[in-house]
């Protein structure tokens, strides 16, 4: 039995129209409303198309302003200020979009860090004067920096890649950085600065064309990653050197010269750098004989064969005891200025 009973304060059949939201907003597209009554609402899809929406809205405002100008013969100062403010907002939005796209490319690249530093440019003029278009070489990729990530063992520094890195810097705007993987405990200081000092604009990735990241890591074979979504890793210093050399658009057009270049590269990597004294001496004799007929290994043109072979000879440390033709050739390579970046690593 209840203690007491309260009579209802309102009729039981009353109907209340409850709202579906906390408050209502006027329709922004209704006719007869002024700009002050507009309250824009964007869905998730519209937020992604914000620059396009703002541009269309601005075109509509400008059209209305042109109609008013035709009737009155003068420009409303408030409308002019609104146009200038809208142009500035659109400019900043496009810059922000380019920055976000660049950061997204970095995050999806394995072993790459957001910190970046660049290299010092070589003092000598590049011998490769051909024109190169990255869109034609690597495919069109708008709004993102093309990142080249290389994992190398500090016990065997890839000298030829450092030389190619210096050549790439003379051709493109390159954003470079050096990192140390957790698998490596100690790295000599020259290896940490082999790509040059930190660039003051390293935070603005959209200002560069290429990203060159060198990671000192405990790996058995050098590995390069470029496009992780549609390209498998490239292994071996010779193969990576070929890839980087193609970015310079300096490959021999003659099939015979291209074959000779590949033969010298394979000979240097597999016989001059990794085998015993007998094979090493035989390769040096062949090298001295070829250089006795021409200034460079392919004749009158400096090529990737000279870069790779010279780096292998310099790494072996037998430059003083080498034959006369080899010593002359090494001096010619040094005079180009492209090998200045590897000299600190040879001391």
């Amino acid at each position: 039995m209840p203690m007491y009973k309260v009579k209802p304060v309102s009729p039981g059949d009353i109907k209340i129209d409850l709202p579906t939201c906390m408050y209502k907003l006027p329709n922004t597209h209704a006719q007869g409303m002024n700009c002050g009554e507009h309250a824009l609402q964007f869905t998730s899809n519209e937020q992604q198309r914000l620059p396009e929406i703002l541009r269309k809205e601005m075109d509509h405002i400008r059209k209305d302003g042109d109609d008013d100008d035709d009737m009155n013969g003068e420009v409303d100062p408030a409308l002019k200020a609104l146009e200038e403010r809208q142009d500035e907002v659109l400019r900043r939005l496009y810059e922000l979009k380019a920055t976000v796209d660049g950061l997204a490319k970095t995050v999806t690249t394995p072993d790459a860090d957001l910190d970046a530093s660049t290299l010092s440019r070589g003092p000598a003029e590049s011998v490769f004067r051909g024109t190169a278009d990255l869109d034609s070489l690597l495919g069109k990729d708008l709004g993102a920096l093309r990142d080249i990530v290389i994992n190398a063992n500090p016990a065997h520094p890839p000298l030829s890649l450092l030389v190619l890195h210096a050549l790439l810097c003379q051709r493109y705007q390159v954003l470079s950085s050096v990192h140390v993987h957790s698998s490596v405990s100690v790295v000599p200081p020259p290896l940490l600065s082999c790509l040059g000092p930190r660039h003051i604009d390293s935070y603005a990735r959209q200002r560069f064309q290429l990203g060159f990241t060198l990671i000192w890591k405990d790996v058995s074979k050098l590995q390069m990653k470029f496009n992780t979504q549609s390209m498998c890793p490239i292994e071996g210093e010779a193969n990576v050197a070929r890839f980087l050399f193609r970015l310079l658009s300096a490959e021999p057009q003659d099939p015979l010269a291209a074959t000779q270049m590949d033969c010298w590269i394979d000979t240097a990597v597999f016989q001059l750098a990794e085998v015993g004294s007998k094979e090493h001496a035989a390769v040096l004799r062949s090298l001295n004989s070829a250089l006795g007929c021409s200034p460079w290994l392919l004749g009158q043109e400096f090529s990737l064969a000279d870069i790779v072979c010279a780096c292998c000879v310099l790494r072996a440390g037998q430059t003083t005891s080498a034959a006369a033709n080899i010593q002359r050739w090494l001096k010619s390579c040094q005079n180009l200025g492209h090998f200045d970046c590897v000299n600190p690593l040879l001391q």
Side-chain angles (χ1 to χ4, degrees), residues 109-111 138 147-152 161 168 211-213 219 221-228 231-237 239-245 247:
T109 302
D111 296 334
L138 301 177
D147 282 299
I148 297 173
V149 182
I150 297 176
N151 295 325
L161 303 189
L168 288 173
F212 195 100
T213 303
V219 292
K221 185 178 295 186
L222 185 139
Q223 185 182 75
M224 189 202 80
K225 299 177 183 179
F226 173 67
N227 191 334
T228 58
M231 179 178 176
C232 62
I234 299 177
E235 293 186 345
E237 182 176 349
N239 295 326
V240 176
R242 290 185 176 99
F243 177 86
L244 298 179
F245 189 71
L247 300 183

Side-chain angles (χ1 to χ4, degrees), residues 7 13 17 25 28 35 67 134 138 152 161 170 181 188 211 217 228 272 282 338 346:
K7 294 181 180 180
D13 58 347
D17 185 13
L25 293 177
T28 59
C35 297
D67 296 339
L134 286 179
L138 301 177
L161 303 189
Q170 296 180 6
H181 193 262
K217 187 176 181 180
T228 58
L272 188 60
H338 307 317
L346 301 173

Side-chain angles (χ1 to χ4, degrees), residues 71-85:
M71 293 184 297
N72 301 329
E74 59 183 7
V75 179
D76 188 359
L79 179 59
K80 184 177 181 180
L82 179 61
E83 290 179 355
E84 294 176 353
R85 181 175 179 273

Side-chain angles (χ1 to χ4, degrees), residues 94-270:
Y94 284 121
E95 290 181 355
L96 181 61
K97 181 178 182 301
T99 303
V100 171
D101 291 339
L103 292 176
K105 180 69 177 294
T106 304
V107 172
T108 56
T109 302
D111 296 334
D113 206 339
L114 291 180
D115 291 334
S117 59
T118 79
L119 48 135
S120 58
R121 297 181 180 271
E125 182 181 0
S126 176
V127 296
F128 305 117
R129 298 182 176 84
T131 58
D133 183 10
L134 286 179
D135 288 340
S136 61
L137 294 172
L138 301 177
K140 199 169 185 179
D141 191 6
L142 297 178
L145 185 67
R146 295 176 172 89
D147 282 299
I148 297 173
V149 182
I150 297 176
N151 295 325
N153 197 317
H156 303 283
L159 301 182
S160 63
L161 303 189
L162 300 182
V163 176
L164 290 169
H165 171 267
L167 291 171
L168 288 173
C169 291
Q170 296 180 6
R171 179 65 58 84
Y172 307 106
Q173 294 293 328
V174 182
L175 179 61
S176 305
S177 61
V178 179
H179 304 277
V180 180
H181 193 262
S182 58
S183 60
V184 178
S185 57
V186 179
V187 176
L191 295 182
L192 298 177
S193 59
C194 60
L195 298 186
R198 182 182 179 86
H199 198 280
I200 58 176
D201 295 332
S202 58
Y203 63 92
R205 289 172 56 85
Q206 68 273 14
R207 299 184 182 181
F208 299 88
Q209 297 173 280
L210 279 176
F212 195 100
T213 303
L214 178 60
I215 302 176
W216 297 117
K217 187 176 181 180
D218 186 13
V219 292
S220 58
K221 185 178 295 186
L222 185 139
Q223 185 182 75
M224 189 202 80
K225 299 177 183 179
F226 173 67
N227 191 334
T228 58
Q229 298 180 352
S230 60
M231 179 178 176
C232 62
I234 299 177
E235 293 186 345
E237 182 176 349
N239 295 326
V240 176
R242 290 185 176 99
F243 177 86
L244 298 179
F245 189 71
R246 289 189 178 98
L247 300 183
L248 298 170
S249 294
E251 286 188 299
Q253 300 300 320
D254 182 15
L256 178 59
T259 303
Q260 291 176 345
M261 185 180 72
D262 286 333
C263 290
W264 277 117
I265 294 173
D266 292 337
T267 300
V269 172
F270 295 109

